[in-house]
Structure formats: structure tokens, C-alpha cells
Amino acid sequence: MKGTVLEYDNDAGAGLIEDQRGAEFPFTKDQVAGGQSIQVGDEVNFRPKGSKKGPFAAQVVPIRSSSNVPVNEAV
């Protein structure tokens, strides 16, 4: 599923992704593939999961940074 990072607190290591339909999914830095950096506005792929606390984003993979540079091309 594709989405956009709405919020990310680097100190807390947690953030929020909004999918293309407007649903929101919290995530932690542990869910970001390969420990890649992530920031507000980044486009990501993720897998929605459920828990007792509700839905969350797992396997978060940045696609494009908020600076419009594809992640695999960023220096």
C-alpha cells in the first residue's frame, strides 16, 4: 500500500502515515526497512497490520523523499 509520512518525531522514533484513502497508520523506526532515514512528506510503501491497539504500518519502505528525489538516487 502507498502512503505519505504525515508526522515523524526523530527523537521518539515514531510517526504517522496517511494512505491514499486518508486512513492513518502509526509506525516506529523499527518498521522502516534497512534503517533508512525518513521525514515528513516522504512517499512510502507499507504493509498495514492490526494489533490489539489498532492498525499500524509495517515494512515501511521509502519510495520518494519529500525533496522529490527517488530514494535510491539520493546521495
Side-chain angles (χ1 to χ4, degrees):
M1 179 174 284
K2 288 186 179 183
T4 303
V5 178
L6 289 180
E7 300 175 15
Y8 186 69
D9 183 333
N10 199 39
D11 293 330
L16 191 64
I17 295 171
E18 181 179 54
D19 73 5
Q20 295 172 320
R21 293 176 285 179
E24 296 179 350
F25 297 84
F27 71 98
T28 61
K29 66 180 177 182
D30 296 340
Q31 293 297 329
V32 180
Q36 296 181 59
S37 65
I38 200 160
Q39 58 188 351
V40 172
D42 285 357
E43 293 179 34
V44 296
N45 277 330
F46 69 98
R47 180 165 290 185
K49 296 280 188 168
S51 73
K52 291 179 183 178
K53 294 182 179 183
F56 67 96
Q59 300 174 356
V60 178
V61 179
I63 304 169
R64 184 175 292 272
S65 73
S66 57
S67 63
N68 292 325
V69 176
V71 172
N72 60 357
E73 293 179 15
V75 177

